[in-house]
Amino acid sequence: MTVHPDRKYRESETPLRWIEIINARIGATAAPSMLERLFQDIRESVSADTGTPVRVVIYRGRFVDGDWSIHLHHETEKPPSGKTTLGIELADILRPMALVDHSIWIEEDGRCASPTKRQMTPFHVPYNP
């Protein structure tokens, strides 16, 4: 078996994909330029030593200027045992100025829920704008 040098799982195994999401609703008292600078600093510093590769994507709310969402994409051999140190630190940075929701989501088609082991049933969700 070959082990990829950057990963802790064997190539024959499928990594478990999961995402840690930190949503922040920042009050109107925060200056937009300060927020943009804060999120730019977060973007630049997140590539620091996390032990495993993490892809960071930062979203800005389309309709509410103070809504931001930081997505930390992970691929690991085992399911997460809890929130990561990186996620907790980012949420703590935002808490003094925002309402923060910090959660973890595991990809449905990841290793834990293999489509070959369960019946895939299509469904339709009606939508009337």
Side-chain angles (χ1 to χ4, degrees), residues 14-18 76-80 106-115 117-118:
T14 304
L16 179 65
R17 289 187 223 50
W18 54 283
T76 57
E77 185 178 341
K78 298 177 185 175
I106 297 175
E107 184 176 310
E108 175 62 22
D109 291 330
R111 192 176 60 204
C112 288
S114 173
K117 294 182 181 176
R118 61 183 165 83

Side-chain angles (χ1 to χ4, degrees), residues 41-110:
D41 290 346
I42 288 171
R43 223 180 252 110
E44 292 170 0
S45 66
V46 162
S47 60
D49 183 26
T50 60
T52 58
V54 176
R55 185 170 69 95
V56 178
V57 182
I58 299 177
Y59 296 92
R60 188 175 189 168
R62 169 68 178 95
F63 300 108
V64 179
D65 288 338
D67 281 0
W68 292 81
S69 188
I70 303 171
H71 293 206
L72 306 174
H73 296 264
H74 303 270
E75 287 187 7
T76 57
E77 185 178 341
K78 298 177 185 175
S81 59
K83 298 170 182 171
T84 65
T85 302
L86 174 62
I88 292 168
E89 288 174 0
L90 291 173
D92 287 346
I93 289 169
L94 295 169
R95 274 200 181 87
M97 66 182 105
L99 296 173
V100 175
D101 176 54
H102 185 184
S103 59
I104 294 177
W105 298 80
I106 297 175
E107 184 176 310
E108 175 62 22
D109 291 330

